[in-house]
Amino acid sequence: MKKQLLFALASVFTMSTYAQTNVPNMSGVNIEKPFDKVMITGNETGPSNRGTGGGNATAASANGTIIGTTTYDLQTNGSVQNRLIKHADGTVSAVWTYSNSFDITASDRGTGYNYYNGTSWSAAPIARIESERGGWPSISPINGGELNTLHNTTSSVITMNKRPGKGTGAWAESNITSPTIDLVWNRSAVGGANGQSIHMVGVTAPIALSGSLYQGLDGALVYYRSIDGGASWDQQAVVLPGMTSTEFIGFSGDSYSIMSKGNTVVIAVYSDWADSFIMKSTDNGSTWTKTLFIDFPLDLYVANQAGGSDANNDGTPDTLSSTDNSGSLVIDNNGMAHVFYGNMRILDADLTDAGTTYFPYTNGLLYWNENMPTDSSEFIAWAEDFDNDGVVQNVNETDIARYFTSLASFPNASVDANGAIYVAYSAYMENTSNGSQAYRHVYLVKSDDGGCSWNQFEDMTPNDNFAECIFPSIANVTDDSVRFIYQEDIEPGLAVRGDLDAFGDNDIVYVSTPVNGLNAAILNCVTWVQGDLEFCAGDTTTINASCGSSYSWSTGATTANMDVTNHGAISVDITTSCATTITHNLVTTSPSGPPVISTTGAQFVCGSTPVVIGVTPVSLGTYLWSTGATTQDITVAAAGTYTVTVSNCGGTASKAILLNTEPTPSDAITIIGNATICEGSGTVGLSAVEGASWLWSNGNTNRTITLSTPSESGSYTCEIYNSCGDMVTSSAIAITINPQPVQPVISYLGGAVYTSTTADGYQWYMNANIIPGETNQTYDASLYPNETISVIVSNTFGCLSAESAGYVVGVSEIKNTLNHINVYPNPNNGIFDISFSAAKSAVYEVKITNIVGQVLFLNSISISGSNNRKVDLSSFDNGLYFITISSEGEENTYKLVIE
C-alpha cells in the first residue's frame, strides 16, 4: 500500500487589497518570560483575594446582546469548546462556565445556559444547571434536544445533562465516568449515521494536580464513545494508537478539539513541546489514522533536560516555533479536516529554573488542512500593526495580560453549506489600552473556497474600544449570518489565573452578523501539492496541485493533476486568485534499505475487551499479520504474540509484538511517616504501591492520601484498580492522630512568678531556648530582667502545644534594680549618696524611718540608667535608720548608720 506524502505549501499576501493593515513580524517583540502557566482544573480553593486596580467590572456591551455574566473568568486553559448551537428552526442555545461568587473557590460554579427562542433571549441565568459544582461545559444538539457535558469537580467525574426538548424542560443528569479515573477538561461532539453517537475526550488528572500516571502517561488524552445517545458507553478511557507513552510524556489541559460529522470524527491536538496532530476516524470512532501537522524536533521532551531546546545539536538551545495550545478544528462538507492555532515561540535555555520560557508577543493565526504537508502551516490572520513599525506592542504597556497565548489566539471555526470557512479569534489591540495593558478584540476571518484564499480579517467588536473581548465560540451552523459568543469586561487579563486581577462581573455577549456584510477583499492565498513522492521503480504516481487558477509543470503539463513515472526533480507554478504565482519544487525518490518497524497501540489486554495494536506507517509498505490481516493496525481481544511483516520495494522486515494480560495490582500500602502522630507535628501519608486508579475508604481517589487532623484518625483501606478495572482491596491500616493541647497562656502571679494554664506537662523557655529543669506550672523569673519567657505544654498523649506568646519579664527589672542599689559611705555623718546602677526607667520612692517606724523623710525621684542621688541628713541625731526604696510593687530596705 502506498503511503500518501504531503509537501510544499506556500502563502502569499496581496498588499493591494491590504493597504489598511500591515503585515507585522510574526516572531513579535523579542521579550522572553517564564512559562509559569498554571493548569486550572476548577478544584482550586484559594486564595480568593486578588489585587486591586479596577477588577473585572463590566459596562453594557456596545457590540452585541448580553446573555449572561460570570465572575469566574477563565473559560478555557487553551482551546475554546463547542458552546453555541444554532438549531434548524432558528433558535439558539449557549453555554459557558458560570459563577457569581467573586472568588476562585466558586462554590456555585457550573454551566451557565441561555436560550434564544427565535425572537429574544431568556433572562440571564442566576444558577448552574447541574446539581454539583463543575466547569468547562460542551453542548451539542441531539434528537431535537440538547446534550451538555462538563467536568464535575465535586465528584471527580464527567457529568452529562440531557433533555429531549430545547430551551425548556428538566435536565436528566447522569455521570459518564467514575471516580476511579479522574478525568478533567472534557470536550464532546455528536455524530454518527443516525445522529446518536457521542464522542468525548478528556485528560486524566496529571501528577502535578494530585493525579497519577495512566498507562504510563502523565495526563493521558483518552477517548469515550456512546452509540446510543449516552445510554451506554462502549469505549471508555481508551488511549488511541499513536497517543501512547511511547510517543508522548502526557497532554496538557484544553490543548485539543473534537468534531464529528456523520461517521467522520476528528480529534486535533495542539501541543507546545511535542508533536501536534490530528486523529481521524471515518467509521464513527472504531479505527483511527494519525497525521502530524507539526513534527516537533525533540521527542519526549522534558523541561530542563540535558541540552535544553538544542534541536540542531550545536550546543546552543534553540528558540522553536510551535503552537500556543489554543486551536480549533472544523470538518468541511467533503469530510476534510481544517485546523487553526495560535503561533508561539518557545525556549528552554536556563536548565536550572523551574521550567521553560515563551515569547508572549509572538503573533499570528496559523492554518493547516489534512491535504497539506507536515510543518507547512500558513498565516491567515494576526494582530494588527497599527503604527506600522513592523512589530505589535502597545507603547503604554508595562506588562502584557497573561493569557500565555499568541497575540492572535483562541480561534473557533465553523463551515457553511457552501463550504465557506469562518474563524473567530481574539487579537491583541496595539492601539488600545487601559494605560498599562493592551486590550483584545474578537476578529473574524473567512475563506470562500475551502481554505485556498482568505479574506481581509476584521474587528467584530469595534464599538467598545475599552473592553477586553476573549474566548469566542462560534455557532456550529453558519448560514445567512455568522454567530458567536465571547466574554467581555473592562480589564485586560484574568482573576482566576495569570494577572490575578480582582474578581468582578464578566459579560457573556452574543453577536450575529450577516455574512454578506463581511469584507470580501482577499488578503492572502494558500496553495499546496499532494501526492506520493516516494514510489517504486516502474510504478506511476499521481501528484495533485491545488488552489490555482492555472498550473504550469516543468514537464510541460498544464493540468492540476500530473502522472509521474520517473524519479528526480519536478516543479509546478501555481497562479492564484491573488494574481501571483507560487512555485513548488519537488523531488521524487524510491525507497532504499528494508522498512523500520515501530509498534503502536496497547501493551495490555483486559479480558476479552478488544484493543488496537499496530505499527507506524511505512513508505509504500504492505502489512501481513500472523492473524492474516493486511492492515496497518489490527484489533485483537486476547493476550499473546502477534507478528507483523512489512514489505516495500526496499525490502522486508518482521516484528513480534507481545500483548500481555494486565496483572492484578499489588494490594500493598506504604505508610509515609508514623501510624501514630500528634496533631501539629506533621502528617502521615498512605500510598498505594501499584495501580492505575484508586478509591480510598474516605472517598479520596489519589494514589497517596495525607492525614493530619484528629478527625482523620481511623482505619483505612484502598480499592486498587489496574487500567483494565481489575480491583484488589488493601488490608486495613489504623491511623491515630492525637489532639494537640490548646496553646497555653502565661499569667503573672506577682513577685516575678509566672504561671501557665493547666496542662499535664510543662516546659519553660527563655528567649526560645529551653530552660533545663523548669517543668512546673509556675516559674520564678526574678533573676532574668528584660528577657522573654514562654512555655509549651503537653497532654496525656505526649502531644505538645504550640508555644505560648512570649512574656517580657518586666517586674524582675525593678527587682534587679533594687537589688543593686548602693548607699555610701555607710556609716556616715549624715551626708551620703544613693547609687542606682543600670536602673529600669521608673519613678522610685525613697523613705527614711527611725527604729520605731516614724517616717522622717519621703521623696519621689525619676531614675533611668545609672544615677547618683546625694542626701543630706546632717541635722539628724546619730543612730540607726532604715532607707526603703520602692517602685511598681517591689521594694528593698537598707540600713543606714549616722555617727
Side-chain angles (χ1 to χ4, degrees), residues 27-33 345 358-362 393 400:
S27 294
V29 181
N30 202 40
I31 294 177
E32 177 185 353
K33 289 185 177 292
R345 297 168 66 228
Y358 77 113
F359 295 81
Y361 288 94
T362 307
Q393 184 184 29
I400 189 170

Side-chain angles (χ1 to χ4, degrees), residues 127-145:
R128 62 180 179 235
I129 68 173
E130 297 82 15
S131 62
E132 294 184 318
R133 180 184 184 275
W136 279 256
S138 183
I139 194 167
S140 300
I142 186 169
N143 291 336

Side-chain angles (χ1 to χ4, degrees), residues 303-505:
N304 295 327
Q305 71 181 35
S309 56
D310 180 12
N312 57 9
N313 296 314
D314 65 353
T316 301
D318 301 303
T319 298
L320 306 174
S321 292
S322 189
T323 84
D324 64 356
N325 295 143
S326 181
S328 184
L329 161 72
V330 71
I331 302 172
D332 69 19
N333 302 326
N334 297 314
M336 186 167 76
H338 302 256
V339 171
F340 311 88
Y341 60 90
N343 180 36
M344 184 51 66
R345 297 168 66 228
I346 54 178
L347 174 68
D348 193 4
D350 184 353
L351 307 186
T352 64
D353 62 4
T356 62
T357 57
Y358 77 113
F359 295 81
Y361 288 94
T362 307
N363 197 2
L365 188 69
L366 285 156
Y367 164 66
W368 177 90
N369 70 51
E370 60 182 302
N371 283 341
M372 296 179 181
T374 299
D375 296 324
S376 63
S377 302
E378 290 293 333
F379 294 103
I380 60 169
W382 47 85
E384 299 185 64
D385 180 18
F386 288 99
D387 62 6
N388 302 334
D389 66 351
V391 294
V392 177
Q393 184 184 29
N394 189 286
V395 295
N396 296 319
E397 187 152 73
T398 57
D399 188 21
I400 189 170
R402 292 198 295 162
Y403 294 106
F404 303 97
T405 61
S406 168
L407 298 187
S409 192
F410 301 119
N412 209 249
S414 178
V415 63
D416 68 17
N418 298 319
I421 303 171
Y422 303 81
V423 186
Y425 65 98
S426 184
Y428 177 97
M429 300 299 290
E430 183 187 51
N431 63 343
T432 311
S433 76
N434 64 358
S436 61
Q437 289 182 313
Y439 287 101
R440 295 189 180 221
H441 282 191
V442 174
Y443 277 68
L444 188 74
V445 64
K446 175 190 177 185
S447 172
D448 287 310
D449 52 12
C452 290
S453 64
W454 292 88
N455 293 359
Q456 168 68 57
F457 51 80
E458 49 190 314
D459 187 353
M460 304 302 292
T461 56
N463 298 323
D464 193 350
N465 283 333
F466 298 100
E468 182 78 338
C469 306
I470 53 172
F471 305 133
S473 183
I474 204 165
N476 60 325
V477 172
T478 296
D479 41 33
D480 61 334
S481 296
V482 59
R483 304 165 181 85
F484 62 89
I485 60 172
Y486 69 94
Q487 180 178 288
E488 176 182 312
D489 70 349
I490 63 170
E491 181 76 6
L494 300 169
V496 171
R497 184 184 66 196
D499 289 7
L500 301 182
D501 292 328
F503 278 88
D505 283 323

